[in-house]
Amino acid sequence: MSKRIGLVGMGLMGQAFITNLRKSQYMVQGFDLDSNRMDQLAEAGGHPVATPADAAKDVDCLIASLPTSDIAREVIFGANGIAEGAAEGLYVCDTTTARPEDSERTYAELKERGIRYMDSAVSGTSTMAQAGDLVVIAGGDAEDFEACLETFAGFSRAAYHMGPAGSGARTKLIINLILAGNRLAMAEGMVLGEKAGLEPNNLLEVLKDGACSSKTMIDKGPKMIEADYSKQGQVKVSLKDSRLMMDMGQKLGAPTMMIQVYSQIMQAALEKGYAEKDTVAFFEIMRGMAGLEEREGIDDVPFGK
């Protein structure tokens, strides 16, 4: 496969893709609506292009990294979209956390055009992505997955083929559901510990060394304690994902009790102005429910914007 690759969507995750693909000697031609992100691509040695269609030209593979599957479908099928610029045989790896039914529909519609599509969700925060510490979870044809393994290796540490189109999206939602449960349980425990007069850093160290230990504690525990809500994820994105999980559970007849509680708390966090802050900014909602002072916290965007 060619070492020239297309990229559409260069937010927190997309920027991490650029960093690692460039380290892997890929030439990246990319598009984003945000001119600052286009400038960042140029500074990283990539080539900004004018439209998603242009990003799909003269490459064997294109990565899409977009906020929602509705936006992804518009970027793929709309005017100056990826499908318009794609040659037959192009591999489209869509890393968007998507509604699984949208992934299935996009796969079928692109197949009719001779374009190969995989819902190629990634698991990990943007900080993990910068370090190449991502896992790709793909749905689509097995031969397409095999063909894209080298590309996946350019920005991740492992890749798994989960089955037909939509399987990657479904797996990603399950991963995020369990991750949300870990974060909610940790937040609840940390608030309870503070109310009990336990020193937070000492408590966190014990939790990390105890039977309840999780990667979430390492990644997010210090952020909760320090009210460091600089973005690795975002409240508004986590809320969107929680709704996709509940929708999936409803369609399949599976219980989603925990994620319903989590979604309510994330909704409250959104309404309090934490939309653009890191996902665990919901910790302040938990603190408020316990009668503790809500802290504005450290951020990389103006509070409430």
Side-chain angles (χ1 to χ4, degrees), residues 29-305:
Q29 58 186 42
F31 173 80
D32 196 286
L33 290 172
D34 187 332
S35 60
N36 291 328
R37 292 170 182 168
M38 299 280 270
D39 291 342
Q40 288 172 325
L41 174 62
E43 289 167 7
H47 291 278
V49 294
T51 67
D54 291 332
K57 291 178 180 176
D58 303 317
V59 296
D60 297 326
C61 180
L62 179 141
I63 299 168
S65 178
L66 298 159
T68 70
S69 51
D70 289 335
I71 294 171
R73 284 186 55 79
E74 176 61 29
V75 167
I76 291 170
F77 295 109
N80 294 312
I82 291 166
E84 189 174 304
E88 187 173 345
L90 175 71
Y91 294 94
V92 175
C93 300
D94 186 0
T95 67
T96 305
T97 299
R99 186 183 300 110
E101 293 79 9
D102 288 343
S103 298
E104 291 172 333
R105 187 157 54 114
T106 300
Y107 166 86
E109 291 173 10
L110 285 179
K111 188 172 185 178
E112 291 178 358
R113 302 178 184 225
I115 299 169
R116 300 173 171 122
Y117 174 88
M118 282 183 291
D119 43 297
S120 309
V122 293
S123 179
T125 67
S126 58
T127 300
M128 293 167 66
Q130 283 288 343
D133 187 21
L134 289 178
V135 173
V136 177
I137 313 105
D141 295 340
E143 58 268 29
D144 295 345
F145 175 77
E146 292 294 329
C148 290
L149 277 174
E150 183 180 355
T151 299
F152 294 148
F155 63 86
S156 70
R157 63 174 173 82
Y160 296 88
H161 182 238
M162 301 307 297
S167 300
R170 290 186 174 93
T171 304
K172 174 62 182 296
L173 291 178
I174 293 168
I175 289 171
N176 281 10
L177 182 148
I178 295 169
L179 182 61
N182 286 341
R183 292 174 178 176
L184 181 58
M186 184 173 68
E188 190 169 302
M190 293 299 291
V191 167
L192 184 60
E194 187 169 350
K195 290 288 285 190
L198 298 173
E199 200 284 315
N201 288 288
N202 287 343
L203 175 58
L204 181 60
E205 286 304 308
V206 170
L207 295 175
K208 289 192 294 186
D209 200 32
C212 63
S213 179
S214 71
K215 190 168 175 52
T216 292
M217 292 177 182
I218 299 168
D219 293 340
K220 297 298 189 181
K223 290 178 76 68
M224 289 184 180
I225 291 171
E226 297 163 15
D228 174 8
Y229 303 132
S230 54
K231 287 186 291 189
Q232 294 175 341
Q234 293 183 72
V235 163
K236 65 180 182 181
V237 174
S238 190
L239 176 60
K240 179 266 295 184
D241 290 353
S242 72
R243 290 169 174 167
L244 292 178
M245 295 165 204
M246 290 187 290
D247 182 62
M248 179 175 162
Q250 185 176 39
K251 288 175 178 174
L252 297 175
T256 54
M257 295 172 288
M258 180 280 300
I259 204 63
Q260 291 187 46
V261 173
Y262 178 84
S263 187
Q264 297 263 340
I265 294 169
M266 296 305 286
Q267 180 69 50
L270 183 84
E271 299 301 333
K272 286 294 293 278
Y274 297 128
E276 300 282 342
K277 291 195 173 192
D278 187 75
T279 305
V280 294
F282 80 88
F283 186 56
E284 298 306 318
I285 302 300
M286 302 286 285
R287 287 173 56 84
M289 291 169 69
L292 298 170
E293 180 184 2
E294 291 185 43
R295 306 160 298 173
E296 181 171 318
I298 305 164
D299 204 350
D300 48 11
V301 295
F303 179 66
K305 297 297 183 183

